Short mmCIF file of all heavy atoms in Angstrom, two decimals:
data_model
loop_
_atom_site.label_atom_id
_atom_site.label_comp_id
_atom_site.label_asym_id
_atom_site.label_seq_id
_atom_site.Cartn_x
_atom_site.Cartn_y
_atom_site.Cartn_z
N GLY A 291 -84.45 118.74 -119.97
CA GLY A 291 -85.07 118.72 -121.24
C GLY A 291 -84.86 117.45 -122.12
O GLY A 291 -85.16 117.42 -123.32
N VAL A 346 -90.51 92.94 -121.03
CA VAL A 346 -91.66 91.95 -120.95
C VAL A 346 -91.79 91.05 -122.14
O VAL A 346 -92.11 91.54 -123.19
CB VAL A 346 -93.03 92.67 -120.70
CG1 VAL A 346 -94.13 91.62 -120.47
CG2 VAL A 346 -92.98 93.59 -119.48
N GLU A 425 -89.18 90.91 -111.32
CA GLU A 425 -88.68 89.73 -112.07
C GLU A 425 -89.04 89.76 -113.53
O GLU A 425 -90.12 90.40 -113.89
CB GLU A 425 -89.11 88.45 -111.40
CG GLU A 425 -90.65 88.23 -111.35
CD GLU A 425 -91.30 88.88 -110.21
OE1 GLU A 425 -90.67 89.72 -109.53
OE2 GLU A 425 -92.51 88.53 -109.92
#
Side-chain angles (χ1 to χ4, degrees):
V346 180
E425 62 271 15

